[in-house]
Amino acid sequence: MTQASGGPERTRTNRARLAHKIRYAARRPDRIWPYLRRLGRDWKLRLTSRDHVAYYRAVMKADAARSPAAAVGSASYERWLALGQMQFDYLVRHGLTPSDRMLEIGCGNLRAGWRFIDHLDTGHYHGIDISPDILLAAGDTLAQRGLQDKLPHLSLVRDLRMATLPSGHFTVVHAHSVFSHSPIEVIDECLAHVGRVMAPDAFFDFTFNRTEGREHHVLREDFYYRTETLIELAASHGFAARFMDDWEQLPHKQSKIRITALP
Ligand SMILES: C[S@@+](CC[C@H](N)C(=O)[O-])C[C@H]1O[C@@H](n2cnc3c(N)ncnc32)[C@H](O)[C@@H]1O
């Protein structure tokens, strides 16, 4: 496995440990107050949300009200553009053609989605998300980019059972920076159902926060998994899974796995 961007520290650090938090706070005192705000929100939302999806939907509501670009993890519009470009270029290098039928899980405000919509044939893009607020922002992106005639589908979902989607339809499934915010039961639900909507030769690429140490999470917002955990989970749902080494060369802190049907 090639070294991930961010150096070995990225995959060895346990961000949930108090010692790490103290070291980090000493290095970045400017981050203390934002972290305390997130901690307060985390407590409140844990008490008032019935499950993780409700919790994360509330996180997105608060974050999207401030800035949709920041809500999907980009500190500036330039970074938003660059991160979308990176996702797009990667899939095109891996053979994404206009005739592909794409499902984007957790499409956000179409950071990459608008580029996929532009590239794909009319009606070939379907984005799903749990957050009504970010889907409204996705509509804004679509209008700003003048892509109405491409007739993309954007759906609000409450889970990842994909009950409304057609069987055997999608040739490419993409989830960027979604499992990094998901507990294992949400990933398990996705893997239990995504196979039904995938065409026989389809692949599903997803990114995740990789740890080579103990699996952990920071608040209920950021989850860190070992590669083997996700590969074994995929296998338990009848998929072959492959760690994408070439993604590690890119300037991004998450890793990527591709799953396909077993031959
Ligand atoms: C960090 S943003 C990334 C958005 C987009 N993939 C991108 O790269 O710009 C994560 C997105 O996933 C959505 N999301 C989180 N958990 C989800 C779930 N279980 N099902 C569907 N969408 C989810 C969030 O609402 C948010 O829009």
Side-chain angles (χ1 to χ4, degrees):
M1 199 181 289
T2 311
Q3 183 54 62
S5 63
E9 205 192 324
R10 176 175 78 85
T11 53
R12 288 197 201 126
T13 305
N14 184 333
R15 291 159 184 79
R17 292 184 63 172
L18 186 60
H20 167 77
K21 289 178 187 166
I22 291 169
R23 268 199 310 274
Y24 188 79
R27 237 181 18 241
R28 296 293 309 266
D30 57 308
R31 296 280 178 93
I32 296 174
W33 178 238
Y35 175 75
L36 290 176
R37 264 209 326 261
R38 281 175 72 200
L39 184 64
R41 177 172 79 181
D42 179 72
W43 281 345
K44 183 174 153 223
L45 292 181
R46 275 191 210 208
L47 289 173
T48 53
S49 306
R50 69 183 172 284
D51 58 20
H52 178 76
V53 166
Y55 170 99
Y56 205 74
R57 187 179 276 159
V59 167
M60 289 302 289
K61 183 181 176 68
D63 287 353
R66 280 210 298 279
S67 152
V72 298
S74 292
S76 67
Y77 184 59
E78 288 65 37
R79 289 297 306 146
W80 185 87
L81 285 174
L83 221 285
Q85 185 81 54
M86 187 191 301
Q87 296 179 51
F88 177 75
D89 289 347
Y90 184 84
L91 273 183
V92 169
R93 273 204 304 283
H94 280 255
L96 183 76
T97 66
S99 63
D100 274 308
R101 292 184 300 275
M102 181 173 193
L103 170 65
E104 183 170 12
I105 296 172
C107 60
N109 68 337
L110 303 181
R111 177 166 60 171
W114 75 265
R115 296 177 194 274
F116 295 134
I117 293 166
D118 196 25
H119 180 69
L120 295 170
D121 290 342
T122 299
H124 280 217
Y125 175 90
H126 199 130
I128 61 175
D129 206 289
I130 53 166
S131 164
D133 301 272
I134 207 69
L135 282 177
L136 289 174
D140 294 339
T141 302
L142 192 68
Q144 280 154 14
R145 297 283 161 185
L147 291 166
Q148 298 90 334
D149 292 348
K150 297 303 285 276
L151 295 176
H153 306 267
L154 296 176
S155 312
L156 179 64
V157 294
R158 70 166 74 86
D159 56 43
L160 285 177
R161 301 172 71 82
M162 300 175 221
T164 60
L165 300 178
S167 296
H169 183 72
F170 296 101
T171 56
V172 175
V173 184
H174 176 72
H176 181 94
S177 199
V178 181
F179 289 175
S180 45
H181 304 296
S182 302
I184 201 73
E185 59 273 15
V186 168
I187 302 175
D188 185 52
E189 179 181 71
C190 180
L191 295 177
H193 294 278
V194 71
R196 182 187 65 78
V197 304
M198 288 166 71
D201 293 331
F203 63 84
F204 172 21
D205 280 3
F206 60 83
T207 62
F208 66 107
N209 285 324
R210 178 159 65 93
T211 181
E212 286 173 359
R214 197 186 169 132
E215 297 188 339
H216 58 280
H217 59 87
V218 179
L219 311 179
R220 296 291 287 173
E221 291 187 33
D222 297 305
F223 292 78
Y224 291 78
Y225 294 107
R226 295 176 68 84
T227 305
E228 310 84 84
T229 298
L230 298 179
I231 287 187
E232 281 162 22
L233 188 62
S236 77
H237 290 291
F239 292 108
R242 159 157 90 97
F243 184 84
M244 301 305 279
D245 257 318
D246 59 348
W247 176 262
E248 298 291 300
Q249 315 307 323
L250 301 174
H252 194 270
K253 287 187 176 152
Q254 295 183 20
S255 294
K256 194 186 279 280
I257 286 177
R258 172 167 298 172
I259 67 173
T260 49
L262 279 170

